[in-house]
Amino acid sequence: VNTDLLRQHPKALEIIQSFSNQAKPIAVICHAPLVLIKAEQIKTKHLTSHKNIRLDLENAGAIWVDEAVHTCYASGWTLISSRNPEDLPAFNKAILKELESNSSV
């Protein structure tokens, strides 16, 4: 499913809102942060993404950074983000680190 279809799916938005409300980590890569905009879970979050959606994220209240992987703990829940598939090794490592440190997830 591509990002445009996913962000129109009510269940996907419900899952994102539920995870953030329960302080469960969320991981996004490439264009996936667009779904966070639609779920209204992006304000004050620091994150990275594909450079083509930087302006969309900033206009929605996010703080964009250009890093292979970025972990943000703002707003009471963890967001792990990466720019593109070339960042997958660092992205996967950050996800595993978060899951290992939070056994209640």
Side-chain angles (χ1 to χ4, degrees):
V1 175
N2 70 39
T3 305
D4 283 332
L5 292 176
L6 188 60
R7 67 183 174 168
Q8 295 176 44
H9 198 287
K11 189 65 175 176
L13 303 177
E14 181 183 314
I15 290 168
I16 290 168
Q17 290 167 344
S18 175
F19 268 50
S20 61
N21 289 340
Q22 295 177 52
K24 293 184 178 187
I26 296 174
V28 293
I29 190 168
C30 207
H31 289 78
L34 292 172
V35 181
L36 296 173
I37 293 172
K38 181 74 174 183
E40 299 180 0
Q41 298 298 317
I42 201 73
K43 287 186 180 176
T44 73
K45 296 302 270 188
H46 290 73
L47 74 156
T48 193
S49 68
H50 192 281
K51 62 184 177 181
N52 289 350
I53 65 167
R54 175 183 181 169
L55 185 58
D56 299 284
L57 295 168
E58 290 176 336
N59 285 340
I63 297 93
W64 192 85
V65 296
D66 186 12
E67 298 175 355
V69 66
H70 187 81
T71 303
C72 177
Y73 301 100
S75 303
W77 58 278
T78 303
L79 174 63
I80 302 165
S81 58
S82 281
R83 301 172 296 198
N84 55 54
E86 288 138 15
D87 297 332
L88 277 171
F91 183 60
N92 291 339
K93 186 176 179 180
I95 294 169
L96 286 173
K97 180 181 175 186
E98 179 62 30
L99 293 174
E100 288 170 348
S101 71
N102 189 349
S103 61
S104 65
V105 176

